[in-house]
PDB file of all heavy atoms in Angstrom:
ATOM      1  N   ALA K   1      -7.221   8.788  11.749  1.00  0.00           N
ATOM      2  CA  ALA K   1      -7.353   9.981  12.538  1.00  0.00           C
ATOM      3  C   ALA K   1      -6.289  11.060  11.981  1.00  0.00           C
ATOM      4  O   ALA K   1      -6.467  12.243  12.122  1.00  0.00           O
ATOM      5  CB  ALA K   1      -7.068   9.791  13.896  1.00  0.00           C
ATOM      6  N   ALA K   2      -5.275  10.587  11.363  1.00  0.00           N
ATOM      7  CA  ALA K   2      -4.361  11.493  10.706  1.00  0.00           C
ATOM      8  C   ALA K   2      -3.893  11.084   9.381  1.00  0.00           C
ATOM      9  O   ALA K   2      -4.268   9.981   8.954  1.00  0.00           O
ATOM     10  CB  ALA K   2      -3.087  11.567  11.629  1.00  0.00           C
ATOM     11  N   PRO K   3      -3.377  12.027   8.560  1.00  0.00           N
ATOM     12  CA  PRO K   3      -2.928  11.571   7.155  1.00  0.00           C
ATOM     13  C   PRO K   3      -2.108  10.343   7.211  1.00  0.00           C
ATOM     14  O   PRO K   3      -1.183  10.067   8.054  1.00  0.00           O
ATOM     15  CB  PRO K   3      -2.203  12.789   6.621  1.00  0.00           C
ATOM     16  CG  PRO K   3      -2.666  13.913   7.434  1.00  0.00           C
ATOM     17  CD  PRO K   3      -2.974  13.373   8.925  1.00  0.00           C
ATOM     18  N   LEU K   4      -2.110   9.540   6.287  1.00  0.00           N
ATOM     19  CA  LEU K   4      -1.416   8.249   6.099  1.00  0.00           C
ATOM     20  C   LEU K   4      -0.222   8.432   5.161  1.00  0.00           C
ATOM     21  O   LEU K   4      -0.350   9.068   4.109  1.00  0.00           O
ATOM     22  CB  LEU K   4      -2.446   7.127   5.564  1.00  0.00           C
ATOM     23  CG  LEU K   4      -1.844   5.764   5.358  1.00  0.00           C
ATOM     24  CD1 LEU K   4      -1.549   5.210   6.726  1.00  0.00           C
ATOM     25  CD2 LEU K   4      -2.776   4.927   4.579  1.00  0.00           C
ATOM     26  N   ASP K   5       0.767   7.889   5.602  1.00  0.00           N
ATOM     27  CA  ASP K   5       2.042   7.761   4.702  1.00  0.00           C
ATOM     28  C   ASP K   5       1.910   6.619   3.693  1.00  0.00           C
ATOM     29  O   ASP K   5       2.097   5.429   4.224  1.00  0.00           O
ATOM     30  CB  ASP K   5       3.308   7.692   5.576  1.00  0.00           C
ATOM     31  CG  ASP K   5       4.531   7.749   4.718  1.00  0.00           C
ATOM     32  OD1 ASP K   5       4.484   7.780   3.488  1.00  0.00           O
ATOM     33  OD2 ASP K   5       5.656   7.574   5.428  1.00  0.00           O
ATOM     34  N   SER K   6       1.560   6.840   2.515  1.00  0.00           N
ATOM     35  CA  SER K   6       1.318   5.751   1.655  1.00  0.00           C
ATOM     36  C   SER K   6       2.499   4.835   1.350  1.00  0.00           C
ATOM     37  O   SER K   6       2.469   3.722   1.078  1.00  0.00           O
ATOM     38  CB  SER K   6       0.700   6.239   0.332  1.00  0.00           C
ATOM     39  OG  SER K   6       1.499   7.019  -0.324  1.00  0.00           O
ATOM     40  N   ASP K   7       3.769   5.490   1.331  1.00  0.00           N
ATOM     41  CA  ASP K   7       5.047   4.778   1.139  1.00  0.00           C
ATOM     42  C   ASP K   7       5.171   3.787   2.378  1.00  0.00           C
ATOM     43  O   ASP K   7       5.653   2.610   2.148  1.00  0.00           O
ATOM     44  CB  ASP K   7       6.204   5.749   1.050  1.00  0.00           C
ATOM     45  CG  ASP K   7       6.141   6.477  -0.290  1.00  0.00           C
ATOM     46  OD1 ASP K   7       5.513   6.118  -1.197  1.00  0.00           O
ATOM     47  OD2 ASP K   7       6.713   7.707  -0.222  1.00  0.00           O
ATOM     48  N   GLN K   8       4.968   4.227   3.559  1.00  0.00           N
ATOM     49  CA  GLN K   8       5.039   3.384   4.673  1.00  0.00           C
ATOM     50  C   GLN K   8       4.034   2.126   4.616  1.00  0.00           C
ATOM     51  O   GLN K   8       4.386   1.041   4.883  1.00  0.00           O
ATOM     52  CB  GLN K   8       4.918   4.167   6.011  1.00  0.00           C
ATOM     53  CG  GLN K   8       4.990   3.248   7.261  1.00  0.00           C
ATOM     54  CD  GLN K   8       4.501   4.039   8.482  1.00  0.00           C
ATOM     55  OE1 GLN K   8       4.004   5.119   8.393  1.00  0.00           O
ATOM     56  NE2 GLN K   8       4.699   3.348   9.631  1.00  0.00           N
ATOM     57  N   TRP K   9       2.835   2.562   4.221  1.00  0.00           N
ATOM     58  CA  TRP K   9       1.761   1.599   4.146  1.00  0.00           C
ATOM     59  C   TRP K   9       2.101   0.551   3.094  1.00  0.00           C
ATOM     60  O   TRP K   9       1.936  -0.785   3.317  1.00  0.00           O
ATOM     61  CB  TRP K   9       0.500   2.252   3.731  1.00  0.00           C
ATOM     62  CG  TRP K   9      -0.707   1.398   3.717  1.00  0.00           C
ATOM     63  CD1 TRP K   9      -1.528   1.130   4.777  1.00  0.00           C
ATOM     64  CD2 TRP K   9      -1.198   0.575   2.553  1.00  0.00           C
ATOM     65  NE1 TRP K   9      -2.568   0.298   4.267  1.00  0.00           N
ATOM     66  CE2 TRP K   9      -2.352  -0.151   3.121  1.00  0.00           C
ATOM     67  CE3 TRP K   9      -0.765   0.405   1.318  1.00  0.00           C
ATOM     68  CZ2 TRP K   9      -3.033  -0.920   2.225  1.00  0.00           C
ATOM     69  CZ3 TRP K   9      -1.478  -0.531   0.414  1.00  0.00           C
ATOM     70  CH2 TRP K   9      -2.554  -1.116   0.930  1.00  0.00           C
ATOM     71  N   ARG K  10       2.656   0.968   1.896  1.00  0.00           N
ATOM     72  CA  ARG K  10       3.033   0.031   0.929  1.00  0.00           C
ATOM     73  C   ARG K  10       4.185  -0.849   1.250  1.00  0.00           C
ATOM     74  O   ARG K  10       4.223  -2.014   1.010  1.00  0.00           O
ATOM     75  CB  ARG K  10       3.247   0.798  -0.398  1.00  0.00           C
ATOM     76  CG  ARG K  10       3.519  -0.145  -1.561  1.00  0.00           C
ATOM     77  CD  ARG K  10       2.625  -0.151  -2.692  1.00  0.00           C
ATOM     78  NE  ARG K  10       1.667   0.782  -2.943  1.00  0.00           N
ATOM     79  CZ  ARG K  10       0.486   0.303  -3.353  1.00  0.00           C
ATOM     80  NH1 ARG K  10       0.099  -0.836  -3.464  1.00  0.00           N
ATOM     81  NH2 ARG K  10      -0.481   1.274  -3.655  1.00  0.00           N
ATOM     82  N   ALA K  11       5.175  -0.294   1.962  1.00  0.00           N
ATOM     83  CA  ALA K  11       6.330  -1.018   2.401  1.00  0.00           C
ATOM     84  C   ALA K  11       5.896  -2.146   3.447  1.00  0.00           C
ATOM     85  O   ALA K  11       6.437  -3.281   3.362  1.00  0.00           O
ATOM     86  CB  ALA K  11       7.377  -0.030   3.031  1.00  0.00           C
ATOM     87  N   GLN K  12       5.026  -1.768   4.241  1.00  0.00           N
ATOM     88  CA  GLN K  12       4.544  -2.754   5.308  1.00  0.00           C
ATOM     89  C   GLN K  12       3.769  -3.913   4.501  1.00  0.00           C
ATOM     90  O   GLN K  12       3.839  -5.123   4.906  1.00  0.00           O
ATOM     91  CB  GLN K  12       3.701  -2.166   6.392  1.00  0.00           C
ATOM     92  CG  GLN K  12       3.401  -3.087   7.483  1.00  0.00           C
ATOM     93  CD  GLN K  12       2.880  -2.376   8.714  1.00  0.00           C
ATOM     94  OE1 GLN K  12       3.143  -1.152   8.859  1.00  0.00           O
ATOM     95  NE2 GLN K  12       2.151  -3.145   9.647  1.00  0.00           N
ATOM     96  N   LEU K  13       2.908  -3.504   3.575  1.00  0.00           N
ATOM     97  CA  LEU K  13       2.157  -4.523   2.807  1.00  0.00           C
ATOM     98  C   LEU K  13       3.163  -5.437   1.968  1.00  0.00           C
ATOM     99  O   LEU K  13       2.987  -6.628   1.980  1.00  0.00           O
ATOM    100  CB  LEU K  13       1.251  -3.818   1.911  1.00  0.00           C
ATOM    101  CG  LEU K  13       0.353  -4.838   1.052  1.00  0.00           C
ATOM    102  CD1 LEU K  13      -0.552  -5.723   1.859  1.00  0.00           C
ATOM    103  CD2 LEU K  13      -0.512  -4.029   0.002  1.00  0.00           C
ATOM    104  N   GLN K  14       4.194  -4.862   1.536  1.00  0.00           N
ATOM    105  CA  GLN K  14       5.154  -5.681   0.719  1.00  0.00           C
ATOM    106  C   GLN K  14       5.897  -6.581   1.597  1.00  0.00           C
ATOM    107  O   GLN K  14       6.162  -7.701   1.293  1.00  0.00           O
ATOM    108  CB  GLN K  14       6.184  -4.742   0.146  1.00  0.00           C
ATOM    109  CG  GLN K  14       7.253  -5.447  -0.803  1.00  0.00           C
ATOM    110  CD  GLN K  14       8.092  -4.547  -1.584  1.00  0.00           C
ATOM    111  OE1 GLN K  14       7.888  -3.363  -1.582  1.00  0.00           O
ATOM    112  NE2 GLN K  14       9.052  -5.011  -2.155  1.00  0.00           N
ATOM    113  N   ARG K  15       6.137  -6.234   2.920  1.00  0.00           N
ATOM    114  CA  ARG K  15       6.773  -7.257   3.905  1.00  0.00           C
ATOM    115  C   ARG K  15       5.750  -8.375   4.183  1.00  0.00           C
ATOM    116  O   ARG K  15       6.198  -9.431   4.468  1.00  0.00           O
ATOM    117  CB  ARG K  15       7.136  -6.481   5.133  1.00  0.00           C
ATOM    118  CG  ARG K  15       8.411  -5.633   5.020  1.00  0.00           C
ATOM    119  CD  ARG K  15       8.840  -5.116   6.354  1.00  0.00           C
ATOM    120  NE  ARG K  15       7.907  -4.207   7.049  1.00  0.00           N
ATOM    121  CZ  ARG K  15       7.896  -2.866   6.809  1.00  0.00           C
ATOM    122  NH1 ARG K  15       8.808  -2.271   5.965  1.00  0.00           N
ATOM    123  NH2 ARG K  15       6.977  -2.119   7.462  1.00  0.00           N
ATOM    124  N   GLU K  16       4.519  -8.012   4.145  1.00  0.00           N
ATOM    125  CA  GLU K  16       3.477  -9.063   4.280  1.00  0.00           C
ATOM    126  C   GLU K  16       3.294  -9.990   3.238  1.00  0.00           C
ATOM    127  O   GLU K  16       3.205 -11.321   3.403  1.00  0.00           O
ATOM    128  CB  GLU K  16       2.117  -8.478   4.688  1.00  0.00           C
ATOM    129  CG  GLU K  16       2.069  -7.768   6.074  1.00  0.00           C
ATOM    130  CD  GLU K  16       1.860  -8.736   7.291  1.00  0.00           C
ATOM    131  OE1 GLU K  16       1.502  -9.821   7.129  1.00  0.00           O
ATOM    132  OE2 GLU K  16       2.312  -8.211   8.375  1.00  0.00           O
ATOM    133  N   VAL K  17       3.187  -9.565   1.981  1.00  0.00           N
ATOM    134  CA  VAL K  17       2.707 -10.315   0.793  1.00  0.00           C
ATOM    135  C   VAL K  17       3.703 -10.467  -0.212  1.00  0.00           C
ATOM    136  O   VAL K  17       3.476 -11.182  -1.172  1.00  0.00           O
ATOM    137  CB  VAL K  17       1.359  -9.865   0.395  1.00  0.00           C
ATOM    138  CG1 VAL K  17       0.230 -10.020   1.346  1.00  0.00           C
ATOM    139  CG2 VAL K  17       1.485  -8.543  -0.270  1.00  0.00           C
ATOM    140  N   GLY K  18       4.813  -9.643  -0.216  1.00  0.00           N
ATOM    141  CA  GLY K  18       5.745  -9.690  -1.279  1.00  0.00           C
ATOM    142  C   GLY K  18       5.583  -8.587  -2.287  1.00  0.00           C
ATOM    143  O   GLY K  18       4.446  -7.895  -2.319  1.00  0.00           O
ATOM    144  N   ALA K  19       6.512  -8.326  -3.222  1.00  0.00           N
ATOM    145  CA  ALA K  19       6.556  -7.157  -4.069  1.00  0.00           C
ATOM    146  C   ALA K  19       5.372  -7.298  -5.147  1.00  0.00           C
ATOM    147  O   ALA K  19       4.738  -6.285  -5.376  1.00  0.00           O
ATOM    148  CB  ALA K  19       7.867  -7.043  -4.697  1.00  0.00           C
ATOM    149  N   ARG K  20       5.262  -8.467  -5.667  1.00  0.00           N
ATOM    150  CA  ARG K  20       4.202  -8.616  -6.686  1.00  0.00           C
ATOM    151  C   ARG K  20       2.776  -8.297  -6.273  1.00  0.00           C
ATOM    152  O   ARG K  20       1.987  -7.564  -6.780  1.00  0.00           O
ATOM    153  CB  ARG K  20       4.255  -9.943  -7.405  1.00  0.00           C
ATOM    154  CG  ARG K  20       3.353 -10.119  -8.596  1.00  0.00           C
ATOM    155  CD  ARG K  20       3.331 -11.482  -9.194  1.00  0.00           C
ATOM    156  NE  ARG K  20       2.829 -12.481  -8.260  1.00  0.00           N
ATOM    157  CZ  ARG K  20       1.525 -12.716  -8.097  1.00  0.00           C
ATOM    158  NH1 ARG K  20       0.523 -11.970  -8.776  1.00  0.00           N
ATOM    159  NH2 ARG K  20       1.042 -13.620  -7.330  1.00  0.00           N
ATOM    160  N   ARG K  21       2.317  -8.936  -5.068  1.00  0.00           N
ATOM    161  CA  ARG K  21       1.035  -8.703  -4.618  1.00  0.00           C
ATOM    162  C   ARG K  21       0.779  -7.296  -4.009  1.00  0.00           C
ATOM    163  O   ARG K  21      -0.301  -6.836  -3.913  1.00  0.00           O
ATOM    164  CB  ARG K  21       0.762  -9.758  -3.473  1.00  0.00           C
ATOM    165  CG  ARG K  21       0.459 -11.151  -4.046  1.00  0.00           C
ATOM    166  CD  ARG K  21      -0.205 -11.966  -2.935  1.00  0.00           C
ATOM    167  NE  ARG K  21      -0.256 -13.316  -3.405  1.00  0.00           N
ATOM    168  CZ  ARG K  21      -1.298 -13.856  -4.014  1.00  0.00           C
ATOM    169  NH1 ARG K  21      -2.381 -13.191  -4.283  1.00  0.00           N
ATOM    170  NH2 ARG K  21      -1.319 -15.233  -4.309  1.00  0.00           N
ATOM    171  N   ALA K  22       1.868  -6.661  -3.544  1.00  0.00           N
ATOM    172  CA  ALA K  22       1.818  -5.302  -2.981  1.00  0.00           C
ATOM    173  C   ALA K  22       2.011  -4.198  -4.030  1.00  0.00           C
ATOM    174  O   ALA K  22       1.917  -2.997  -3.601  1.00  0.00           O
ATOM    175  CB  ALA K  22       2.847  -5.123  -1.975  1.00  0.00           C
ATOM    176  N   SER K  23       2.204  -4.512  -5.323  1.00  0.00           N
ATOM    177  CA  SER K  23       2.452  -3.505  -6.319  1.00  0.00           C
ATOM    178  C   SER K  23       1.232  -2.595  -6.467  1.00  0.00           C
ATOM    179  O   SER K  23       0.110  -2.923  -6.318  1.00  0.00           O
ATOM    180  CB  SER K  23       2.744  -4.173  -7.671  1.00  0.00           C
ATOM    181  OG  SER K  23       1.750  -4.594  -8.275  1.00  0.00           O
ATOM    182  N   PRO K  24       1.504  -1.358  -6.921  1.00  0.00           N
ATOM    183  CA  PRO K  24       0.321  -0.372  -7.233  1.00  0.00           C
ATOM    184  C   PRO K  24      -0.586  -0.956  -8.282  1.00  0.00           C
ATOM    185  O   PRO K  24      -1.813  -0.525  -8.267  1.00  0.00           O
ATOM    186  CB  PRO K  24       1.055   0.850  -7.611  1.00  0.00           C
ATOM    187  CG  PRO K  24       2.420   0.807  -6.963  1.00  0.00           C
ATOM    188  CD  PRO K  24       2.699  -0.651  -7.025  1.00  0.00           C
ATOM    189  N   ARG K  25      -0.195  -1.736  -9.148  1.00  0.00           N
ATOM    190  CA  ARG K  25      -0.958  -2.318 -10.164  1.00  0.00           C
ATOM    191  C   ARG K  25      -1.991  -3.465  -9.564  1.00  0.00           C
ATOM    192  O   ARG K  25      -3.128  -3.575 -10.114  1.00  0.00           O
ATOM    193  CB  ARG K  25      -0.235  -2.948 -11.247  1.00  0.00           C
ATOM    194  CG  ARG K  25       0.418  -2.026 -12.194  1.00  0.00           C
ATOM    195  CD  ARG K  25       1.148  -2.724 -13.257  1.00  0.00           C
ATOM    196  NE  ARG K  25       0.229  -3.528 -14.011  1.00  0.00           N
ATOM    197  CZ  ARG K  25      -0.100  -3.249 -15.244  1.00  0.00           C
ATOM    198  NH1 ARG K  25       0.288  -2.179 -15.839  1.00  0.00           N
ATOM    199  NH2 ARG K  25      -1.025  -4.081 -15.951  1.00  0.00           N
ATOM    200  N   ASN K  26      -1.617  -4.047  -8.454  1.00  0.00           N
ATOM    201  CA  ASN K  26      -2.397  -5.044  -7.854  1.00  0.00           C
ATOM    202  C   ASN K  26      -3.251  -4.559  -6.738  1.00  0.00           C
ATOM    203  O   ASN K  26      -4.331  -4.984  -6.472  1.00  0.00           O
ATOM    204  CB  ASN K  26      -1.431  -6.152  -7.354  1.00  0.00           C
ATOM    205  CG  ASN K  26      -2.144  -7.501  -7.097  1.00  0.00           C
ATOM    206  OD1 ASN K  26      -3.101  -7.766  -7.765  1.00  0.00           O
ATOM    207  ND2 ASN K  26      -1.683  -8.149  -6.100  1.00  0.00           N
ATOM    208  N   VAL K  27      -2.749  -3.578  -5.959  1.00  0.00           N
ATOM    209  CA  VAL K  27      -3.478  -2.969  -4.873  1.00  0.00           C
ATOM    210  C   VAL K  27      -3.571  -1.392  -4.982  1.00  0.00           C
ATOM    211  O   VAL K  27      -2.453  -0.851  -5.003  1.00  0.00           O
ATOM    212  CB  VAL K  27      -2.901  -3.311  -3.434  1.00  0.00           C
ATOM    213  CG1 VAL K  27      -3.686  -2.668  -2.301  1.00  0.00           C
ATOM    214  CG2 VAL K  27      -2.856  -4.868  -3.340  1.00  0.00           C
ATOM    215  N   GLU K  28      -4.686  -0.872  -5.304  1.00  0.00           N
ATOM    216  CA  GLU K  28      -4.770   0.583  -5.561  1.00  0.00           C
ATOM    217  C   GLU K  28      -5.261   1.273  -4.233  1.00  0.00           C
ATOM    218  O   GLU K  28      -6.117   0.711  -3.528  1.00  0.00           O
ATOM    219  CB  GLU K  28      -5.801   0.786  -6.685  1.00  0.00           C
ATOM    220  CG  GLU K  28      -5.402   0.197  -8.059  1.00  0.00           C
ATOM    221  CD  GLU K  28      -6.474   0.389  -9.159  1.00  0.00           C
ATOM    222  OE1 GLU K  28      -7.161   1.421  -8.987  1.00  0.00           O
ATOM    223  OE2 GLU K  28      -6.596  -0.474  -9.926  1.00  0.00           O
ATOM    224  N   LEU K  29      -4.675   2.504  -4.065  1.00  0.00           N
ATOM    225  CA  LEU K  29      -5.133   3.299  -2.958  1.00  0.00           C
ATOM    226  C   LEU K  29      -5.750   4.517  -3.325  1.00  0.00           C
ATOM    227  O   LEU K  29      -5.294   5.147  -4.285  1.00  0.00           O
ATOM    228  CB  LEU K  29      -3.892   3.569  -2.049  1.00  0.00           C
ATOM    229  CG  LEU K  29      -3.101   2.461  -1.451  1.00  0.00           C
ATOM    230  CD1 LEU K  29      -1.822   3.065  -0.698  1.00  0.00           C
ATOM    231  CD2 LEU K  29      -3.931   1.611  -0.524  1.00  0.00           C
ATOM    232  N   GLU K  30      -6.744   5.032  -2.584  1.00  0.00           N
ATOM    233  CA  GLU K  30      -7.269   6.304  -2.864  1.00  0.00           C
ATOM    234  C   GLU K  30      -7.521   6.899  -1.454  1.00  0.00           C
ATOM    235  O   GLU K  30      -8.140   6.387  -0.564  1.00  0.00           O
ATOM    236  CB  GLU K  30      -8.757   6.177  -3.523  1.00  0.00           C
ATOM    237  CG  GLU K  30      -8.760   6.369  -4.884  1.00  0.00           C
ATOM    238  CD  GLU K  30     -10.118   6.382  -5.442  1.00  0.00           C
ATOM    239  OE1 GLU K  30     -11.024   7.177  -4.988  1.00  0.00           O
ATOM    240  OE2 GLU K  30     -10.403   5.590  -6.359  1.00  0.00           O
ATOM    241  N   TRP K  31      -6.939   8.127  -1.305  1.00  0.00           N
ATOM    242  CA  TRP K  31      -6.955   8.814  -0.089  1.00  0.00           C
ATOM    243  C   TRP K  31      -7.902  10.017  -0.176  1.00  0.00           C
ATOM    244  O   TRP K  31      -7.779  10.778  -1.293  1.00  0.00           O
ATOM    245  CB  TRP K  31      -5.612   9.218   0.489  1.00  0.00           C
ATOM    246  CG  TRP K  31      -5.667  10.019   1.666  1.00  0.00           C
ATOM    247  CD1 TRP K  31      -5.635  11.505   1.846  1.00  0.00           C
ATOM    248  CD2 TRP K  31      -5.713   9.638   3.072  1.00  0.00           C
ATOM    249  NE1 TRP K  31      -5.699  11.812   3.061  1.00  0.00           N
ATOM    250  CE2 TRP K  31      -5.755  10.763   3.908  1.00  0.00           C
ATOM    251  CE3 TRP K  31      -5.804   8.303   3.487  1.00  0.00           C
ATOM    252  CZ2 TRP K  31      -5.850  10.550   5.251  1.00  0.00           C
ATOM    253  CZ3 TRP K  31      -5.931   8.128   4.881  1.00  0.00           C
ATOM    254  CH2 TRP K  31      -5.973   9.293   5.759  1.00  0.00           C
ATOM    255  N   GLY K  32      -8.891  10.197   0.735  1.00  0.00           N
ATOM    256  CA  GLY K  32      -9.735  11.388   0.589  1.00  0.00           C
ATOM    257  C   GLY K  32      -9.986  11.898   1.923  1.00  0.00           C
ATOM    258  O   GLY K  32      -9.756  11.245   2.993  1.00  0.00           O
ATOM    259  N   PRO K  33     -10.668  13.130   1.967  1.00  0.00           N
ATOM    260  CA  PRO K  33     -10.938  13.690   3.271  1.00  0.00           C
ATOM    261  C   PRO K  33     -12.109  12.817   3.931  1.00  0.00           C
ATOM    262  O   PRO K  33     -12.978  12.209   3.160  1.00  0.00           O
ATOM    263  CB  PRO K  33     -11.478  15.110   2.893  1.00  0.00           C
ATOM    264  CG  PRO K  33     -11.840  15.077   1.477  1.00  0.00           C
ATOM    265  CD  PRO K  33     -11.005  14.060   0.841  1.00  0.00           C
TER     266      PRO K  33
END
């Protein structure tokens, strides 16, 4: 419903799966309208 803070999203993912699995090379994000 509102713009997403990708840094917060990635930090939460890193807490769940660790740094390697949460890295931008492993999980790519694309935000669009």
Side-chain angles (χ1 to χ4, degrees):
L4 180 70
D5 181 0
S6 63
D7 292 335
Q8 177 191 8
W9 186 93
R10 184 117 9 227
Q12 190 165 339
L13 181 62
Q14 187 172 349
R15 284 190 295 274
E16 291 281 338
V17 296
R20 185 183 66 81
R21 284 193 190 270
S23 75
R25 288 182 58 108
N26 197 32
V27 178
E28 299 176 30
L29 298 179
E30 261 186 54
W31 179 261

